[in-house]
Amino acid sequence: MAKIWAGRTDGAIDLAADGFNSSLPFDKRLYREDITGSMAHAAMLGKAGILTEEEVGVLIDGLSGILEDLENGSLSFDPDAEDIHSFVEQVLTERVGEAGKKLHTARSRNDQVALDLRLYLRGEIDQIKTAAADLAMKVTEKAEQYKSQIMPGYTHLQRAQPVTFGHHLMAYVMMLLRDLDRLSDTRTRVNVSPIGCCALAGTTYPTDRCFEAEKLGFEGIALNSIDGVSDRDFVLELLSDLAILMMHLSRFSEEICLWASFEFRFVELSDAFTTGSSIMPQKKNPDIAELVRGKTGRVYGDLMALLTTMKGLPLAYNKDMQEDKEAVFDACDTVKKCLEVFGGMIGTMKACGENMRSAAAGGFINATDLADYLVGRGMPFRTAYKISGGIVAYAQNSGKTLEEMTLTEYQTFSPLFDEGVFEAVNLENCVARRTSTGGTSVGSVESQIAYAREALSV
Ligand code: ARG
């Protein structure tokens, strides 16, 4: 394929350099956006009187023919084409003749590529949002199922206070809701049209940028043409959102790996989401959770790669920016796959309630409640904290839990103790009393669930 830029030079480029330069192997996935963008451009050129209505008709028919043929497989990508933009333009010109050569009036590949990518990422954001919302709903349903299931809550990976499994799961739903918010927010900045910025300086033709932007469903246009073609913040913002989302999935995955271990035995993963070992017959490995955790590094890498690419670039467009696409495509593909498979794994995951409950019974996770009990009887918190610490040490030495100590034993630590202490340290009561907004009581978790369902239904 001859170079569209052959002119000043003869367009003959070293074979290896040509392959190195070409973005078609990865930007071919932008063909729909490229063609849709060109249709809007042709319509705008017609409206502005730059092309005749007849020429516009020829271009739009030609472009829809190319789209159709690419979709049905009768037209394949020419591996020699430099990028998706030149490929479409060249096929168009072969098919419709002179009018094809007029399509590139008042635009450049610099604004065209930014346009295509924004259109494409708009669609990707919508798909990722749907997948993240599906996962959030699945986790919410699990939380509903286990809203009364007591487990130890941890800080420093040490047993801390009793919580419910439902409450713990809802923490992840809150993270996913923020991820969704972030994606929506990013979408508003993705949805700004760069087309008409041309190479960098705008154009001498009487174009109507707003008309073209509106046709393509954009909410606004880039207000500085140099910025319009050199800005990749919208890609970086999306990559940041995806990196954060993956960090959430990775933390969740890490917990699932721990919970599924023989040491914890808090959850049982469905066989459909685990693998065996080729040598150890007893193994049931949480590969899916591990892989999601592993792929997080890859998405971080995509973000770091593009941040680094952009950091030293003078304005406006530089070919370095062609590197944006593989990074963001990889991140979007990875996140979509992770969300899907993660949802399946969570949907089929079962809690091992008895193991969670017995883990909660050890580790003195009701010691805060013991202190609170003394506070309730008039003792200052710091004194109560100290006395409760002494009781924990005593119980530990005597091989007892706080529930198993006798009242007489309690009373050797403070005369304020009476039978009520057993109510105070009962784990179910410890959970039930945490009715503060966002707390672990069943009612509180139900409110969180209702909030999430509401947020996810819009
Ligand atoms: N393939 C290029 C990219 O992905 C398209 C823009 C090329 N512009 C140029 N003036 N060479 O960034």
Side-chain angles (χ1 to χ4, degrees):
M1 219 175 215
K3 296 294 173 219
I4 51 171
W5 41 262
R8 191 183 70 78
T9 70
D10 62 8
I13 180 170
D14 173 85
L15 209 60
D18 196 23
F20 184 69
N21 195 43
S22 170
S23 53
L24 192 83
F26 49 88
D27 70 13
K28 64 183 176 196
R29 71 158 90 185
L30 299 176
Y31 74 89
R32 262 188 232 110
E33 291 72 18
D34 195 76
I35 292 172
T36 317
S38 286
M39 286 175 168
H41 191 64
M44 186 282 291
L45 291 174
K47 180 181 177 270
I50 302 165
L51 295 185
T52 66
E53 279 315 306
E54 198 196 325
E55 286 168 328
V56 174
V58 167
L59 288 176
I60 294 191
D61 287 350
L63 287 164
S64 42
I66 296 175
L67 181 59
E68 206 177 301
D69 293 350
L70 282 173
E71 308 250 87
N72 68 27
S74 61
L75 173 65
S76 42
F77 295 102
D78 176 351
D80 291 338
E82 185 174 321
D83 54 32
I84 186 62
H85 327 293
S86 39
F87 170 75
V88 172
E89 188 183 323
Q90 282 174 356
V91 176
L92 183 68
T93 305
E94 277 161 29
R95 290 186 175 192
V96 308
E98 284 303 294
K101 296 187 190 164
K102 296 189 178 178
L103 176 64
H104 212 54
T105 312
R107 77 171 181 189
S108 146
R109 278 184 298 162
N110 298 349
D111 55 347
Q112 194 180 355
V113 71
L115 174 80
D116 291 5
L117 195 56
R118 283 174 183 269
L119 287 172
Y120 180 83
L121 294 182
R122 214 167 64 177
E124 289 296 287
I125 290 174
D126 293 342
Q127 286 180 35
I128 292 170
K129 279 181 63 186
T130 305
D134 278 358
L135 173 62
M137 193 46 101
K138 285 200 174 95
V139 182
T140 304
E141 277 156 16
K142 273 287 124 165
E144 173 92 64
Q145 186 185 346
Y146 293 118
K147 64 186 176 196
S148 314
Q149 174 59 56
I150 291 185
M151 71 180 277
Y154 294 83
T155 65
H156 311 270
L157 202 56
Q158 306 287 317
R159 291 179 196 171
Q161 288 178 348
V163 295
T164 66
F165 191 38
H167 187 209
H168 194 106
L169 290 173
M170 283 310 291
Y172 284 105
V173 174
M174 297 301 164
M175 296 176 221
L176 287 167
L177 291 179
R178 288 197 297 277
D179 289 325
L180 285 165
D181 259 3
R182 257 186 292 273
L183 287 165
S184 304
D185 195 33
T186 295
R187 195 187 190 284
T188 62
R189 277 179 297 280
V190 170
N191 206 20
V192 173
S193 172
I195 198 72
C197 290
C198 303
L200 77 163
T203 182
T204 55
Y205 293 97
T207 52
D208 184 343
R209 291 190 56 206
C210 291
F211 171 83
E212 194 167 345
E214 226 169 88
K215 256 192 153 339
L216 294 166
F218 284 108
E219 275 159 37
I221 61 170
L223 293 177
N224 176 300
S225 62
I226 298 177
D227 180 48
V229 289
S230 59
D231 167 33
R232 290 296 180 271
D233 292 3
F234 66 101
V235 187
L236 289 167
E237 270 194 59
L238 176 57
L239 284 168
S240 313
D241 297 350
L242 298 181
I244 296 174
L245 192 160
M246 286 302 293
M247 177 270 288
H248 293 150
L249 294 190
S250 188
R251 293 181 78 176
F252 205 167
S253 296
E254 168 65 12
E255 296 215 282
I256 287 170
C257 293
L258 285 173
W259 293 337
S261 71
F262 199 72
E263 283 67 17
F264 277 78
R265 286 178 297 160
F266 280 5
V267 298
E268 175 84 40
L269 295 175
S270 151
D271 290 355
F273 291 91
T274 55
T275 64
S277 155
S278 56
I279 167 170
M280 298 164 283
Q282 84 284 9
K283 288 295 282 291
K284 182 169 168 178
N285 297 326
D287 289 33
I288 303 304
E290 292 170 85
L291 264 178
V292 169
R293 189 177 59 188
K295 284 182 191 292
T296 303
R298 188 177 164 137
V299 175
Y300 288 5
D302 293 327
L303 169 63
M304 287 319 296
L306 188 60
L307 277 172
T308 312
T309 296
M310 293 304 294
K311 75 179 268 295
L313 295 188
L315 301 182
Y317 178 84
N318 297 271
K319 192 63 174 252
D320 316 44
M321 287 155 69
Q322 177 165 289
E323 289 292 308
D324 58 1
K325 279 171 279 305
E326 281 167 293
V328 75
F329 293 164
D330 178 69
C332 291
D333 294 349
T334 304
V335 167
K336 282 191 285 183
K337 270 188 253 160
C338 288
L339 285 168
E340 189 197 339
V341 78
F342 203 90
M345 178 179 68
I346 291 295
T348 51
M349 179 180 83
K350 289 196 181 97
C352 308
E354 279 176 25
N355 295 338
M356 284 183 172
R357 181 65 181 79
S358 58
F364 302 98
I365 65 177
N366 39 6
T368 315
D369 294 80
L370 183 64
D372 286 344
Y373 167 84
L374 290 171
V375 171
R377 326 220 105 214
M379 191 182 276
F381 179 76
R382 206 33 76 207
T383 318
Y385 172 92
K386 214 169 169 192
I387 291 180
S388 303
I391 296 173
V392 167
Y394 168 85
Q396 205 155 21
N397 284 336
S398 10
K400 289 183 175 180
T401 66
L402 295 183
E403 294 90 318
E404 286 160 359
M405 295 227 330
T406 63
L407 183 57
T408 328
E409 285 173 310
Y410 273 118
Q411 283 168 340
T412 61
F413 289 91
S414 164
L416 290 178
F417 281 113
D418 65 19
E419 283 293 338
V421 68
F422 297 107
E423 288 281 292
V425 297
N426 170 279
L427 292 186
E428 279 69 21
N429 293 340
C430 294
V431 165
R433 275 197 301 268
R434 286 185 165 72
T435 54
S436 56
T437 306
T440 201
S441 73
V442 176
S444 211
V445 172
E446 277 168 348
S447 307
Q448 296 166 43
I449 292 172
Y451 171 83
R453 285 193 196 283
E454 171 76 27
L456 291 169
S457 69
V458 288

